[in-house]
Amino acid sequence: MNADNSELPGPRPDLEPLDNIGDANRRRNPAHDDHADGDDHVPPDPAPAPPRWRELFGPEHRGAAVVLAAGVLVGAVNIYLASSMLPTAVAEIGGESFYAWNMTLYLVAMVIATMLVSRFLARRGNAGAYLIGFALFMVGSLACAVSPTMPVLLAGRCLQGLGAGLLSGLGFAVIRSALPRRLWTRGNALMSAMYGVGNFAGPALGGLFAQFGSWRLAFVLMAGIAAVCGAAVPRVLPRGERGHAAAPVPVVSLALVMAATAAVSVSGILPDTMARAAGVAMALLLVVGFVAHERRSARRVFPGATYRAGSALKWVYLTLGLLSFGVAVESFVPLFGQRLAGLPPLAAGFFGAAVSLGWSLTQIAGSSAVREHTVRRLRTTGPVLLALGFLVQGLLQREHASIWWVVIWVPVLCVAGSGIGLAYPHLSVAAMSAATDPEEGRQAAAAIATVTTMSTAFGTAVAGALVSLGGPSMLGSARWVLFGFAVLCAIGIFTARAADRTSRPRRSVAVEDRPVVTQIFQ
């Protein structure tokens, strides 16, 4: 039985129907009983001030916040860290024919691990699951550091991916028990920002270590970070409850997602446009098969609410996926900067991280919103800014662009990234709050990382296909990518609105402006 007595028979007082909140308010406030005829307006309670960042990083929650953020960060950094160092590693240990499998195996392992987060939590609790995640990542990093051949390096990358995926999913799932509810939005903003920081820091760190021929030391550094964080886990994280029965592993769902991720990852490195398109189409068919199987099966990766008619959760996940999909543009922006503006590689690399920079910076302001109507507006504004930024960036592309023209590109990409930063933390809280059962809530939260990782992989493959459609013209390729992503990311506007419509309860006037932290997606 769950600790919150959610399985006890009878109505639960903490889940009173929203239609009766006004009446309940009057019962708690006898002074308003003279307005029971409904002629007078009952003023809403003033919204509480949003929690401050210093509360999240105060003595009570600092340790948990740092460990959760570090787990997401190491996974995000290592997506691109190894790619930046791989040319140097290949020159030393060989294995050029396996070059493309570095990213593919890492992403596949990462997606698989994110789908098993709720199982690890049920069996090992918070601390135990985190220790396993950091241990896998540390062992994988050390294997990469000492690898004498490419197959050993790839095996290490698989272990890294398993650890990184587990840590990424835990970062969202453990927020529910490690932080009070009022800090969920701040916590989710911090986890989301770690993806942006990782996308920025990964290529920079990899390039720095590769430049000095010390690619092995980069993996040693990652192993050291994992060891330090793992040592802190028992002291800063709540142990969490373990399930009484081991949850069955959804083998078929895992196999379908693994095949879809592998197909889209491989399609991203194929030279032929038609082959890439076929790979993406195959991956989409596998995803459709995954959804069809999940709807019928009792062994699911996503919580059951995702597939129920009238549920907002599926629209929340689709919006999160489309926002994460847009980040894949960063993989090709440095190429456009070098070919169209003549930027040196280092400058082009930092220029390419402008989307992640905008994403990370806007977490600070966006996560301060607490009123329901403001949060709903931010969740819809996010896809608008992302699509608009890509559209304007496409219009600004020029052959032989001057440095002053490039200066305009950077804030435009930052605006695109800010759309992710404004919407992502609130969508994450919506997913976490979609279930009242703690077990299903953890499953819903862990799925955020699954959606993010899969969408990034799909976005990279689609971006590669769009580059090929541009033909020999780099200007044409840039416009195909940016305009194509503007159209695809704009779909997020409609999925966000669908989530709002589906989740909007019938409310009395007295609760029209209640804070979102107490009623979002109930």
Side-chain angles (χ1 to χ4, degrees):
M1 183 176 295
N2 294 318
D4 66 348
N5 296 327
S6 60
E7 297 179 352
L8 292 176
R12 290 178 55 186
D14 59 322
L15 294 178
E16 185 169 14
L18 288 169
D19 290 353
N20 299 326
I21 289 179
D23 296 332
N25 213 24
R26 285 191 287 272
R27 288 196 297 272
R28 289 191 296 268
N29 297 278
H32 292 304
D33 285 345
D34 56 339
H35 303 303
D37 57 0
D39 293 336
D40 295 331
H41 172 71
V42 180
D45 295 333
R52 299 185 177 183
W53 283 101
R54 68 183 181 184
E55 182 179 356
L56 180 63
F57 291 105
E60 185 178 358
H61 306 299
R62 182 191 304 127
V66 169
V67 168
L68 267 61
V72 177
L73 180 60
V74 294
V77 165
N78 275 271
I79 292 177
Y80 297 109
L81 176 73
S83 298
S84 301
M85 301 185 301
L86 207 57
T88 305
V90 167
E92 180 178 333
I93 64 176
E96 185 174 359
S97 58
F98 295 100
Y99 190 100
W101 288 98
N102 164 72
M103 179 73 77
T104 299
L105 292 177
Y106 184 84
L107 287 175
V108 170
M110 195 172 178
V111 170
I112 291 172
T114 61
M115 297 167 68
L116 296 174
V117 166
S118 59
R119 273 80 183 170
F120 275 96
L121 283 173
R123 295 183 181 185
R124 302 293 182 180
N126 295 338
Y130 255 101
L131 288 173
I132 293 173
F134 279 121
L136 284 171
F137 186 83
M138 182 183 68
V139 172
S141 298
L142 291 175
C144 291
V146 300
S147 55
T149 61
M150 181 58 73
V152 176
L153 179 64
L154 293 178
R157 287 290 281 168
C158 283
L159 288 175
Q160 267 195 325
L162 290 173
L166 186 55
L167 294 171
S168 297
L170 288 170
F172 291 96
V174 177
I175 285 177
R176 291 175 57 94
S177 57
L179 300 176
R181 188 183 179 98
R182 69 180 181 278
L183 290 177
W184 280 8
T185 304
R186 292 295 196 194
N188 276 284
L190 181 63
M191 300 304 107
S192 171
M194 292 303 99
Y195 280 114
V197 173
N199 290 346
F200 181 84
L205 281 175
L208 182 64
F209 278 97
Q211 185 170 344
F212 292 99
S214 304
W215 62 274
R216 295 182 186 273
L217 287 180
F219 289 115
V220 172
L221 175 64
M222 292 294 104
I225 293 173
V228 171
C229 292
V233 163
R235 297 195 300 271
V236 301
L237 289 183
R239 298 187 64 85
E241 296 183 15
R242 299 186 184 185
H244 296 296
V249 176
V251 177
V252 176
S253 294
L254 282 172
L256 288 169
V257 169
M258 182 173 64
T261 307
V264 76
S265 299
V266 170
S267 67
I269 58 174
L270 295 175
D272 183 68
T273 303
M274 292 302 296
R276 284 184 172 182
V280 173
M282 176 61 69
L284 289 174
L285 287 175
L286 288 167
V287 170
V288 171
F290 165 80
V291 173
H293 172 75
E294 286 255 305
R295 290 175 65 91
R296 300 189 309 268
S297 176
R299 299 182 180 184
R300 297 188 180 98
V301 171
F302 291 93
T306 310
Y307 307 102
R308 284 199 291 266
S311 170
L313 194 53
K314 57 179 172 292
W315 301 114
V316 171
Y317 284 143
L318 282 171
T319 310
L320 279 169
L322 288 165
L323 290 173
S324 304
F325 182 89
V327 181
V329 165
E330 286 188 330
S331 300
F332 294 91
V333 167
L335 175 65
F336 304 152
Q338 291 183 55
R339 299 289 181 85
L340 298 179
L343 295 177
L346 184 60
F350 283 106
F351 166 70
V355 174
S356 289
L357 182 63
W359 174 3
S360 301
L361 292 178
T362 49
Q363 310 287 333
I364 299 172
S367 61
S368 299
V370 294
R371 285 194 176 276
E372 182 181 356
H373 74 277
T374 303
V375 169
R376 291 180 184 277
R377 186 170 299 174
L378 288 177
R379 291 200 301 260
T380 305
T381 302
V384 171
L385 290 177
L386 183 62
L388 186 62
F390 289 153
L391 176 63
V392 174
Q393 185 70 8
L395 295 172
L396 291 174
Q397 297 302 292
R398 296 287 187 278
E399 293 275 11
H400 310 296
S402 66
I403 187 62
W404 299 111
W405 201 253
V406 173
V407 169
I408 302 174
W409 291 358
V410 175
V412 171
L413 288 173
C414 282
V415 168
S418 71
I420 305 173
L422 290 177
Y424 197 104
H426 296 294
L427 288 164
S428 300
V429 171
M432 291 169 56
S433 306
T436 56
D437 177 68
E439 182 74 23
E440 193 172 58
R442 285 193 296 266
Q443 190 179 19
I448 296 169
T450 304
V451 170
T452 300
T453 306
M454 283 193 65
S455 298
T456 303
F458 267 85
T460 303
V462 171
L466 292 174
V467 166
S468 299
L469 288 175
S473 169
M474 186 54 59
L475 178 60
S477 295
R479 287 176 174 169
W480 266 101
V481 170
L482 292 165
F483 291 152
F485 269 69
V487 172
L488 292 170
C489 292
I491 299 173
I493 302 171
F494 303 100
T495 59
R497 290 176 63 86
D500 287 347
R501 287 194 304 270
T502 308
S503 64
R504 193 186 300 275
R506 291 186 295 117
R507 297 169 295 182
S508 64
V509 176
V511 297
E512 183 66 29
D513 288 322
R514 288 186 70 208
V516 68
V517 292
T518 60
Q519 95 174 23
I520 182 173
F521 281 84
Q522 290 186 0

